[in-house]
């Protein structure tokens, strides 16, 4: 509808709130609150780093930081290349060809997301060490007696960390690139083939350039997870910047030095994000309504079919089958642990924290995304962009920034209650699981909000307008129209945050209260005393907790892709 005024026609959308009204102010206040919660840990880091000096700084700057920075950059480069290769090749094969096992591989390639990096590292070491099945088979086949009779690479090394992290993190690349290949259909490839291009040329000159934005996003996610990791790199003996923060704080007792290293890491991550955004700043493409997914249209046979199946099976074997085999073998020997109440408390804590974090993150992310849709406010959009920066921060860095203000608030409340009522409140925030939920909320807001924002872009604004013109209030429009249509996006956002929180170790191990275990910290504690087999049941539970959400997530993404 339109309103005629002074000879001019002005568009009027009854479903959109007046940008100067209370609706805009309310959503803007919400965005400010969320952005403030995200910004508080960073402000605490800056304040602490500037307020004190480290007695070990000269030692850190000359001996620790140069080596840790070099190792971190080498690790990032290796993971980018290997995880990118795994993800892009498998996505191309599954989306473009038909070969034996393609349907199975299309969803099984996502399963390594359920395996935490630190558990994969423990399992690889057990699988490849001297008494493991691989070296035992080598000695049996060739008649070797001791390790001095033959050479075998040491998985507890930088190359081992690159292989293990890439095998678990490549699904980030696979998911984003597969969606692009599916949504592009066969049109661009068919045109190139009619002009005489080979399959390799089509991939190299047509499909790969179009998928570069998705590749950049997936690789960036994998790199951020690699930088965030503490359990795997510590176990493998790879001294990254994250390990330097952890060691400086807990082993050296130098909080100021750890904070200053954390700020250096934060600068590296921000630089990584800026480079990724700059690299794809002009890479945009749109899809027509007729561009429906057309996967697997060319059938492969013979040697090509075998190679395609082998290429898809390899990352599944490395990232999921080997860890599951090792965990299952050890768990069968430790079934008595199923009666351990500590194990079930850790499982309860894990599911409760992951569920609470998922609900809080999805609720805040939905309100932010819906507020931008409802008001069209550029200020709200800017604040929302600031509120989702937490994913770029490693968990160890985030833990330091969260612990400082929460501990200060706990002490302030306790002092006031003692002075006024002679009652000690203790550690209300840092003495419970609140700090862990807060860390997950800050770090995984980008995941939740990104899924919801993507869901809103598929909903025409005319839906809101039609509901309002039929007499529905804003609340009725939200609950009767928007929420039912947004159900897949809400589920996807919740599952993403749930899975990541249930695996989280780096922040949890620093923020957990005394005698508070999650499955992740339970496994870490057992492994730290060289008894990984005692944590196998807990590690297997982590994988099992993650498999169902990952399977549902994959199905939801495929369904959304099919609807276009």
């Amino acid at each position: 509808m339109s309103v005629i005024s002074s000879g001019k026609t002005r568009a009027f959308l009854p479903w959109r709130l007046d940008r100067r009204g209370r609706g805009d102010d309310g959503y803007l206040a919400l965005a400010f609150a969320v952005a403030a919660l995200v910004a508080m840990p960073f402000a605490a880091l800056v304040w602490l780093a500037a307020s004190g000096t480290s007695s070990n700084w000269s030692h850190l700057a000359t001996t620790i930081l140069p080596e840790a920075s070099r190792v971190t950059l080498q690790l990032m480069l290796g993971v980018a290349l290997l995880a990118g290769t795994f993800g892009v090749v498998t996505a191309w094969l599954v989306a473009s060809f038909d070969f034996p096992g393609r349907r199975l591989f299309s969803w099984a390639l996502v399963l390594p997301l359920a395996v935490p990096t630190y558990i994969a590292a423990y399992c690889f070491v057990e699988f490849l060490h001297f008494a493991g099945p691989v070296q035992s088979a080598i000695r049996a086949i060739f008649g070797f007696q001791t390790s001095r009779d033959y050479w075998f690479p040491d998985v507890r090394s930088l190359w081992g960390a690159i292989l293990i992290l890439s095998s678990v993190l490549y699904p980030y690349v696979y998911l984003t690139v597969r969606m692009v290949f599916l949504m592009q259909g066969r049109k661009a490839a068919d045109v190139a083939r009619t002009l005489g291009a080979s399959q390799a040329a089509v991939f190299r000159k047509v499909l790969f350039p179009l998928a570069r934005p998705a590749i950049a996003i997936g690789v960036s996610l994998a790199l951020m997870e690699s930088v965030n990791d503490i359990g795997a790199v510590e176990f493998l003996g790879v001294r990254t910047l994250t390990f330097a923060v952890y060691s400086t704080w807990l082993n050296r007792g130098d909080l100021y030095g750890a904070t200053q290293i954390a700020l250096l890491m934060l600068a590296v991550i921000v630089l990584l994000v800026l480079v990724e955004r700059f690299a794809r700043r002009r890479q945009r493409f749109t899809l027509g309504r007729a561009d429906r997914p057309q996967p697997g249209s060319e059938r492969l046979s013979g040697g090509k079919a075998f190679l395609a199946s082998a290429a898809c099976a390899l990352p599944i074997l490395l990232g999921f089958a080997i860890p599951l085999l090792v965990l299952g073998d050890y768990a069968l020997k430790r079934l008595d642990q199923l009666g351990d109440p500590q194990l079930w408390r850790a499982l309860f804590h894990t599911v409760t924290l992951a569920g609470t974090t998922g609900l809080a993150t999805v609720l805040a992310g939905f309100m932010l995304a819906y507020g931008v849709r409802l008001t069209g406010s550029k200020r709200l959009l800017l604040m929302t962009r600031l509120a989702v920066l937490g994913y770029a921060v490693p968990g160890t860095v985030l833990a330091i920034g969260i612990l400082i203000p929460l501990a200060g608030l706990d002490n302030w409340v306790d002092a006031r209650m003692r002075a006024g009522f002679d009652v000690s409140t203790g550690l209300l925030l840092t003495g419970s699981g609140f700090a862990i939920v807060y860390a997950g909320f800050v770090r995984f807001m980008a995941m939740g909000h990104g899924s919801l924002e993507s869901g809103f872009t598929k909903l025409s604004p005319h839906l809101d307008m039609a509901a309002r013109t039929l007499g529905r209030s804003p609340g009725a429009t939200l609950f009767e129209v928007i929420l039912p249509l947004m159900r897949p996006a809400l589920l996807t956002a919740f599952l993403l945050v749930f899975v990541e929180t249930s695996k989280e170790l780096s922040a949890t191990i620093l923020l957990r209260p005394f005698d508070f275990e999650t499955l992740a910290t339970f496994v870490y504690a057992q492994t730290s005393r060289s008894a990984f087999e005692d944590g196998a049941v807990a590690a297997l539970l982590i994988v099992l907790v993650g498999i169902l959400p990952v399977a549902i997530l994959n199905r939801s993404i495929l369904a959304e892709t099919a609807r276009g």
Side-chain angles (χ1 to χ4, degrees):
M1 61 183 294
S2 62
V3 176
I4 308 298
S5 176
S6 304
K8 297 181 180 180
T9 301
R10 178 170 58 91
F12 176 68
L13 299 179
W15 54 270
R16 174 164 287 185
L17 296 179
D18 188 342
R19 296 184 183 183
R20 295 168 296 179
R22 292 184 177 180
D24 189 11
D25 293 339
Y27 280 106
L28 191 61
L30 173 65
F32 268 110
V34 175
L37 287 174
V38 174
M40 186 175 71
F42 309 145
L45 285 172
V46 174
W47 173 81
L48 187 63
S51 62
T53 58
S54 170
S55 58
N56 298 317
W57 182 247
S58 59
H59 171 72
L60 293 174
T62 57
T63 60
I64 303 297
L65 285 182
E67 179 65 14
S69 300
R70 181 187 65 81
V71 171
T72 301
L73 291 176
Q74 289 178 336
L75 179 69
M76 293 172 64
L77 179 61
V79 170
L81 293 176
L82 190 55
T85 300
F86 280 163
V88 173
V89 170
T90 54
W92 175 54
L93 292 173
V94 166
S96 303
F97 303 100
D98 191 10
F99 51 91
R102 185 187 67 82
R103 290 182 179 273
L104 173 65
F105 293 137
S106 66
W107 65 265
L109 282 162
V110 187
L111 290 177
L113 275 182
V115 182
T117 54
Y118 50 90
I119 289 180
Y122 304 154
C123 292
F124 262 82
V125 170
E126 295 294 321
F127 189 73
L128 297 177
H129 73 43
F130 179 79
V134 175
Q135 293 200 51
S136 296
I138 291 175
R139 290 194 301 274
I141 293 173
F142 297 100
F144 298 135
Q145 298 298 320
T146 68
S147 59
R148 293 188 295 272
D149 297 334
Y150 63 97
W151 176 84
F152 193 83
D154 184 10
V155 70
R156 302 185 76 161
S157 59
L158 179 60
W159 77 264
I162 292 172
L163 174 64
I164 293 168
L165 292 178
S166 299
S167 300
V168 174
L169 299 176
Y170 79 86
Y172 287 115
V173 184
Y174 169 75
L175 285 172
T176 56
V177 175
R178 181 187 64 174
M179 183 175 294
V180 172
F181 285 158
L182 287 175
M183 293 301 292
Q184 285 171 354
R186 298 290 303 167
K187 292 182 179 179
D190 288 343
V191 170
R193 292 299 302 277
T194 58
L195 295 176
S198 64
Q199 283 287 2
V202 170
F203 174 76
R204 186 177 67 255
K205 297 181 179 180
V206 179
L207 296 179
F208 185 81
L210 286 175
R212 275 198 301 240
I215 296 172
I217 294 172
V219 169
S220 296
L221 291 173
L223 290 181
M224 290 178 190
E225 288 297 318
S226 299
V227 174
N228 175 62
D229 178 80
I230 178 63
V233 296
E234 180 186 13
F235 186 71
L236 296 173
V238 180
R239 302 306 190 232
T240 61
L241 285 171
T242 301
F243 179 81
V245 172
Y246 181 81
S247 177
T248 302
W249 183 9
L250 297 185
N251 296 339
R252 297 177 182 272
D254 186 358
L255 181 58
Y256 292 116
T259 305
Q260 290 159 357
I261 299 176
L263 287 180
L264 175 62
M265 287 185 63
L266 185 59
V268 172
I269 295 297
V270 170
L271 179 62
L272 174 65
V273 173
L274 293 177
V275 169
E276 180 265 324
R277 296 281 177 89
F278 180 81
R280 60 185 179 93
R281 67 193 186 284
R282 295 180 180 177
Q283 295 174 335
R284 300 288 188 272
F285 58 88
T286 58
L287 301 168
R289 294 293 298 173
D291 291 332
R292 290 291 188 260
Q294 302 172 16
S297 59
E298 181 173 342
R299 179 175 293 275
L300 300 179
S301 60
K304 291 183 178 180
F306 173 78
L307 290 176
S309 298
C312 291
L314 178 61
I316 300 173
L317 173 67
L318 295 175
F320 184 76
I322 289 178
L324 191 65
L325 177 65
V326 174
L327 292 177
D329 179 58
Y330 279 138
L332 288 175
K333 300 174 183 177
R334 299 291 194 280
L335 290 180
D336 58 297
Q337 290 187 350
L338 292 177
D340 185 358
Q342 291 186 351
L343 177 66
W344 295 109
R345 281 198 299 270
L347 175 61
F348 174 76
H349 291 157
T350 299
V351 175
T352 302
L353 291 174
T356 303
T357 305
L359 290 175
T361 304
V362 169
L363 178 61
F366 180 84
M367 295 299 292
L368 291 177
Y370 187 57
V372 172
R373 173 185 175 88
L374 197 63
T375 66
S377 169
K378 293 184 177 180
R379 291 185 299 165
L380 182 57
L381 179 62
L382 175 61
M383 295 305 302
T384 300
R385 292 287 180 263
L386 295 177
V388 299
L389 293 178
Y391 190 70
V393 184
T396 307
V397 176
L398 190 61
I400 297 176
I402 286 177
L403 189 60
I404 296 167
L406 291 190
L409 182 59
D410 271 341
N411 291 332
W412 183 84
V413 171
D414 183 70
R416 293 299 179 273
M417 293 297 293
R418 284 176 179 271
F421 304 97
D422 196 25
V423 174
S424 174
T425 58
L427 301 177
L428 294 175
L429 300 179
T430 56
S432 64
F434 176 83
I436 302 175
V437 173
Y438 182 24
F441 176 84
V442 173
R443 187 158 188 270
F444 302 127
M445 173 60 71
M447 284 187 169
H449 177 269
S451 299
L452 296 170
E453 188 178 42
S454 176
F456 272 122
T457 59
K458 299 178 182 179
L459 299 184
S460 170
H462 297 294
L463 292 172
D464 308 64
M465 183 170 58
R468 295 300 304 276
T469 54
L470 291 174
R472 294 293 188 271
S473 65
T477 300
L478 173 63
F479 286 99
E480 297 178 15
V481 179
I482 300 299
L483 286 178
L485 294 174
M486 284 290 293
R487 192 172 300 154
L490 288 167
L491 178 63
T492 299
F494 175 80
L495 291 176
L496 278 171
V497 177
F498 182 92
V499 171
E500 291 300 323
T501 305
S502 65
K503 299 187 301 181
E504 168 59 35
L505 175 65
S506 55
T508 305
I509 200 171
L510 296 175
L511 295 175
R512 59 175 174 158
F514 176 75
D515 200 26
F516 186 97
E517 297 282 1
T518 64
L519 289 175
T521 60
F522 188 92
V523 174
Y524 180 81
Q526 301 298 331
T527 307
S528 297
R529 58 184 183 87
S530 300
F532 172 63
E533 60 275 11
D534 291 337
V537 175
L540 188 59
L541 285 176
I542 295 177
V543 176
L544 294 178
V545 166
I547 285 179
L548 181 60
V550 165
I552 297 174
L553 174 62
N554 183 50
R555 183 176 180 179
S556 174
I557 291 175
L558 284 177
E560 285 294 293
T561 304
R563 283 194 288 267

PDB file of all heavy atoms in Angstrom, residues 17-39:
ATOM      1  N   LEU A  17       8.800  -1.507  12.186  1.00  0.00           N
ATOM      2  CA  LEU A  17       8.687  -0.511  13.242  1.00  0.00           C
ATOM      3  C   LEU A  17       9.337   0.792  12.827  1.00  0.00           C
ATOM      4  O   LEU A  17      10.298   0.813  12.066  1.00  0.00           O
ATOM      5  CB  LEU A  17       9.377  -1.024  14.522  1.00  0.00           C
ATOM      6  CG  LEU A  17       8.757  -2.282  15.158  1.00  0.00           C
ATOM      7  CD1 LEU A  17       9.565  -2.663  16.381  1.00  0.00           C
ATOM      8  CD2 LEU A  17       7.309  -2.051  15.515  1.00  0.00           C
ATOM      9  N   ASP A  18       8.797   1.869  13.332  1.00  0.00           N
ATOM     10  CA  ASP A  18       9.395   3.175  13.098  1.00  0.00           C
ATOM     11  C   ASP A  18      10.791   3.177  13.694  1.00  0.00           C
ATOM     12  O   ASP A  18      10.988   2.854  14.861  1.00  0.00           O
ATOM     13  CB  ASP A  18       8.535   4.256  13.765  1.00  0.00           C
ATOM     14  CG  ASP A  18       8.997   5.659  13.395  1.00  0.00           C
ATOM     15  OD1 ASP A  18      10.142   5.795  12.922  1.00  0.00           O
ATOM     16  OD2 ASP A  18       8.204   6.596  13.578  1.00  0.00           O
ATOM     17  N   ARG A  19      11.780   3.569  12.896  1.00  0.00           N
ATOM     18  CA  ARG A  19      13.164   3.531  13.357  1.00  0.00           C
ATOM     19  C   ARG A  19      13.405   4.478  14.516  1.00  0.00           C
ATOM     20  O   ARG A  19      14.373   4.341  15.237  1.00  0.00           O
ATOM     21  CB  ARG A  19      14.114   3.869  12.198  1.00  0.00           C
ATOM     22  CG  ARG A  19      14.061   2.852  11.083  1.00  0.00           C
ATOM     23  CD  ARG A  19      15.067   3.174  10.012  1.00  0.00           C
ATOM     24  NE  ARG A  19      14.966   2.238   8.910  1.00  0.00           N
ATOM     25  CZ  ARG A  19      15.778   2.242   7.849  1.00  0.00           C
ATOM     26  NH1 ARG A  19      16.746   3.113   7.763  1.00  0.00           N
ATOM     27  NH2 ARG A  19      15.628   1.357   6.886  1.00  0.00           N
ATOM     28  N   ARG A  20      12.503   5.429  14.682  1.00  0.00           N
ATOM     29  CA  ARG A  20      12.672   6.355  15.800  1.00  0.00           C
ATOM     30  C   ARG A  20      11.799   5.948  16.987  1.00  0.00           C
ATOM     31  O   ARG A  20      11.740   6.646  17.969  1.00  0.00           O
ATOM     32  CB  ARG A  20      12.289   7.767  15.343  1.00  0.00           C
ATOM     33  CG  ARG A  20      13.216   8.322  14.271  1.00  0.00           C
ATOM     34  CD  ARG A  20      12.638   9.574  13.638  1.00  0.00           C
ATOM     35  NE  ARG A  20      11.394   9.274  12.924  1.00  0.00           N
ATOM     36  CZ  ARG A  20      10.662  10.172  12.299  1.00  0.00           C
ATOM     37  NH1 ARG A  20      11.024  11.440  12.308  1.00  0.00           N
ATOM     38  NH2 ARG A  20       9.551   9.830  11.677  1.00  0.00           N
ATOM     39  N   GLY A  21      11.107   4.827  16.864  1.00  0.00           N
ATOM     40  CA  GLY A  21      10.193   4.405  17.907  1.00  0.00           C
ATOM     41  C   GLY A  21      10.858   3.562  18.956  1.00  0.00           C
ATOM     42  O   GLY A  21      12.040   3.268  18.935  1.00  0.00           O
ATOM     43  N   ARG A  22      10.015   3.099  19.868  1.00  0.00           N
ATOM     44  CA  ARG A  22      10.534   2.312  20.970  1.00  0.00           C
ATOM     45  C   ARG A  22      11.064   0.965  20.512  1.00  0.00           C
ATOM     46  O   ARG A  22      11.947   0.400  21.139  1.00  0.00           O
ATOM     47  CB  ARG A  22       9.436   2.107  22.010  1.00  0.00           C
ATOM     48  CG  ARG A  22       9.045   3.384  22.736  1.00  0.00           C
ATOM     49  CD  ARG A  22       8.034   3.083  23.820  1.00  0.00           C
ATOM     50  NE  ARG A  22       7.696   4.275  24.575  1.00  0.00           N
ATOM     51  CZ  ARG A  22       6.832   4.298  25.580  1.00  0.00           C
ATOM     52  NH1 ARG A  22       6.205   3.168  25.913  1.00  0.00           N
ATOM     53  NH2 ARG A  22       6.585   5.406  26.219  1.00  0.00           N
ATOM     54  N   GLY A  23      10.462   0.424  19.430  1.00  0.00           N
ATOM     55  CA  GLY A  23      10.932  -0.873  18.953  1.00  0.00           C
ATOM     56  C   GLY A  23      12.401  -0.831  18.599  1.00  0.00           C
ATOM     57  O   GLY A  23      13.178  -1.692  19.004  1.00  0.00           O
ATOM     58  N   ASP A  24      12.794   0.186  17.842  1.00  0.00           N
ATOM     59  CA  ASP A  24      14.188   0.335  17.457  1.00  0.00           C
ATOM     60  C   ASP A  24      15.068   0.498  18.688  1.00  0.00           C
ATOM     61  O   ASP A  24      16.121  -0.117  18.812  1.00  0.00           O
ATOM     62  CB  ASP A  24      14.310   1.545  16.536  1.00  0.00           C
ATOM     63  CG  ASP A  24      15.690   1.640  15.910  1.00  0.00           C
ATOM     64  OD1 ASP A  24      16.444   0.668  16.025  1.00  0.00           O
ATOM     65  OD2 ASP A  24      15.974   2.671  15.296  1.00  0.00           O
ATOM     66  N   ASP A  25      14.630   1.330  19.625  1.00  0.00           N
ATOM     67  CA  ASP A  25      15.421   1.575  20.823  1.00  0.00           C
ATOM     68  C   ASP A  25      15.569   0.304  21.657  1.00  0.00           C
ATOM     69  O   ASP A  25      16.639   0.036  22.214  1.00  0.00           O
ATOM     70  CB  ASP A  25      14.764   2.670  21.669  1.00  0.00           C
ATOM     71  CG  ASP A  25      14.803   4.029  20.978  1.00  0.00           C
ATOM     72  OD1 ASP A  25      15.651   4.193  20.084  1.00  0.00           O
ATOM     73  OD2 ASP A  25      13.981   4.891  21.324  1.00  0.00           O
ATOM     74  N   GLY A  26      14.505  -0.483  21.738  1.00  0.00           N
ATOM     75  CA  GLY A  26      14.574  -1.711  22.520  1.00  0.00           C
ATOM     76  C   GLY A  26      15.544  -2.709  21.931  1.00  0.00           C
ATOM     77  O   GLY A  26      16.369  -3.282  22.657  1.00  0.00           O
ATOM     78  N   TYR A  27      15.472  -2.918  20.626  1.00  0.00           N
ATOM     79  CA  TYR A  27      16.385  -3.861  19.990  1.00  0.00           C
ATOM     80  C   TYR A  27      17.813  -3.322  20.003  1.00  0.00           C
ATOM     81  O   TYR A  27      18.771  -4.083  20.121  1.00  0.00           O
ATOM     82  CB  TYR A  27      15.944  -4.150  18.559  1.00  0.00           C
ATOM     83  CG  TYR A  27      14.819  -5.147  18.477  1.00  0.00           C
ATOM     84  CD1 TYR A  27      13.527  -4.746  18.166  1.00  0.00           C
ATOM     85  CD2 TYR A  27      15.049  -6.494  18.724  1.00  0.00           C
ATOM     86  CE1 TYR A  27      12.493  -5.663  18.103  1.00  0.00           C
ATOM     87  CE2 TYR A  27      14.022  -7.420  18.664  1.00  0.00           C
ATOM     88  CZ  TYR A  27      12.743  -7.006  18.350  1.00  0.00           C
ATOM     89  OH  TYR A  27      11.735  -7.914  18.293  1.00  0.00           O
ATOM     90  N   LEU A  28      17.963  -2.011  19.866  1.00  0.00           N
ATOM     91  CA  LEU A  28      19.298  -1.424  19.924  1.00  0.00           C
ATOM     92  C   LEU A  28      19.896  -1.609  21.315  1.00  0.00           C
ATOM     93  O   LEU A  28      21.088  -1.904  21.462  1.00  0.00           O
ATOM     94  CB  LEU A  28      19.230   0.061  19.562  1.00  0.00           C
ATOM     95  CG  LEU A  28      20.571   0.760  19.329  1.00  0.00           C
ATOM     96  CD1 LEU A  28      21.307   0.114  18.165  1.00  0.00           C
ATOM     97  CD2 LEU A  28      20.351   2.246  19.060  1.00  0.00           C
ATOM     98  N   ALA A  29      19.060  -1.449  22.355  1.00  0.00           N
ATOM     99  CA  ALA A  29      19.542  -1.675  23.719  1.00  0.00           C
ATOM    100  C   ALA A  29      19.964  -3.123  23.911  1.00  0.00           C
ATOM    101  O   ALA A  29      20.975  -3.413  24.569  1.00  0.00           O
ATOM    102  CB  ALA A  29      18.446  -1.295  24.720  1.00  0.00           C
ATOM    103  N   LEU A  30      19.194  -4.052  23.334  1.00  0.00           N
ATOM    104  CA  LEU A  30      19.557  -5.461  23.419  1.00  0.00           C
ATOM    105  C   LEU A  30      20.896  -5.715  22.734  1.00  0.00           C
ATOM    106  O   LEU A  30      21.761  -6.424  23.268  1.00  0.00           O
ATOM    107  CB  LEU A  30      18.471  -6.326  22.781  1.00  0.00           C
ATOM    108  CG  LEU A  30      18.803  -7.819  22.647  1.00  0.00           C
ATOM    109  CD1 LEU A  30      18.951  -8.461  24.009  1.00  0.00           C
ATOM    110  CD2 LEU A  30      17.728  -8.535  21.830  1.00  0.00           C
ATOM    111  N   ALA A  31      21.076  -5.133  21.548  1.00  0.00           N
ATOM    112  CA  ALA A  31      22.338  -5.325  20.829  1.00  0.00           C
ATOM    113  C   ALA A  31      23.502  -4.746  21.612  1.00  0.00           C
ATOM    114  O   ALA A  31      24.584  -5.341  21.659  1.00  0.00           O
ATOM    115  CB  ALA A  31      22.251  -4.676  19.445  1.00  0.00           C
ATOM    116  N   PHE A  32      23.308  -3.592  22.237  1.00  0.00           N
ATOM    117  CA  PHE A  32      24.358  -3.002  23.058  1.00  0.00           C
ATOM    118  C   PHE A  32      24.700  -3.921  24.228  1.00  0.00           C
ATOM    119  O   PHE A  32      25.875  -4.085  24.582  1.00  0.00           O
ATOM    120  CB  PHE A  32      23.924  -1.629  23.583  1.00  0.00           C
ATOM    121  CG  PHE A  32      24.330  -0.486  22.696  1.00  0.00           C
ATOM    122  CD1 PHE A  32      23.385   0.215  21.983  1.00  0.00           C
ATOM    123  CD2 PHE A  32      25.661  -0.118  22.583  1.00  0.00           C
ATOM    124  CE1 PHE A  32      23.749   1.267  21.162  1.00  0.00           C
ATOM    125  CE2 PHE A  32      26.038   0.938  21.762  1.00  0.00           C
ATOM    126  CZ  PHE A  32      25.072   1.636  21.054  1.00  0.00           C
ATOM    127  N   ALA A  33      23.666  -4.507  24.850  1.00  0.00           N
ATOM    128  CA  ALA A  33      23.902  -5.395  25.983  1.00  0.00           C
ATOM    129  C   ALA A  33      24.704  -6.617  25.565  1.00  0.00           C
ATOM    130  O   ALA A  33      25.670  -7.009  26.246  1.00  0.00           O
ATOM    131  CB  ALA A  33      22.572  -5.808  26.606  1.00  0.00           C
ATOM    132  N   VAL A  34      24.322  -7.242  24.451  1.00  0.00           N
ATOM    133  CA  VAL A  34      25.042  -8.419  23.975  1.00  0.00           C
ATOM    134  C   VAL A  34      26.467  -8.047  23.581  1.00  0.00           C
ATOM    135  O   VAL A  34      27.430  -8.753  23.896  1.00  0.00           O
ATOM    136  CB  VAL A  34      24.301  -9.076  22.792  1.00  0.00           C
ATOM    137  CG1 VAL A  34      25.117 -10.232  22.218  1.00  0.00           C
ATOM    138  CG2 VAL A  34      22.936  -9.573  23.235  1.00  0.00           C
ATOM    139  N   ALA A  35      26.618  -6.918  22.873  1.00  0.00           N
ATOM    140  CA  ALA A  35      27.952  -6.472  22.469  1.00  0.00           C
ATOM    141  C   ALA A  35      28.819  -6.163  23.683  1.00  0.00           C
ATOM    142  O   ALA A  35      30.023  -6.437  23.695  1.00  0.00           O
ATOM    143  CB  ALA A  35      27.841  -5.238  21.567  1.00  0.00           C
ATOM    144  N   ALA A  36      28.206  -5.618  24.740  1.00  0.00           N
ATOM    145  CA  ALA A  36      28.962  -5.327  25.958  1.00  0.00           C
ATOM    146  C   ALA A  36      29.424  -6.617  26.632  1.00  0.00           C
ATOM    147  O   ALA A  36      30.552  -6.702  27.136  1.00  0.00           O
ATOM    148  CB  ALA A  36      28.103  -4.505  26.921  1.00  0.00           C
ATOM    149  N   LEU A  37      28.563  -7.640  26.637  1.00  0.00           N
ATOM    150  CA  LEU A  37      28.956  -8.923  27.212  1.00  0.00           C
ATOM    151  C   LEU A  37      30.122  -9.530  26.440  1.00  0.00           C
ATOM    152  O   LEU A  37      31.014 -10.145  27.030  1.00  0.00           O
ATOM    153  CB  LEU A  37      27.767  -9.885  27.202  1.00  0.00           C
ATOM    154  CG  LEU A  37      26.653  -9.609  28.216  1.00  0.00           C
ATOM    155  CD1 LEU A  37      25.487 -10.560  27.990  1.00  0.00           C
ATOM    156  CD2 LEU A  37      27.176  -9.756  29.644  1.00  0.00           C
ATOM    157  N   VAL A  38      30.092  -9.387  25.107  1.00  0.00           N
ATOM    158  CA  VAL A  38      31.183  -9.912  24.291  1.00  0.00           C
ATOM    159  C   VAL A  38      32.453  -9.100  24.490  1.00  0.00           C
ATOM    160  O   VAL A  38      33.562  -9.650  24.528  1.00  0.00           O
ATOM    161  CB  VAL A  38      30.777  -9.917  22.803  1.00  0.00           C
ATOM    162  CG1 VAL A  38      31.949 -10.332  21.926  1.00  0.00           C
ATOM    163  CG2 VAL A  38      29.592 -10.858  22.575  1.00  0.00           C
ATOM    164  N   ALA A  39      32.302  -7.788  24.634  1.00  0.00           N
ATOM    165  CA  ALA A  39      33.468  -6.907  24.719  1.00  0.00           C
ATOM    166  C   ALA A  39      34.130  -6.935  26.098  1.00  0.00           C
ATOM    167  O   ALA A  39      35.324  -6.625  26.215  1.00  0.00           O
ATOM    168  CB  ALA A  39      33.072  -5.471  24.378  1.00  0.00           C
TER     169      ALA A  39
END
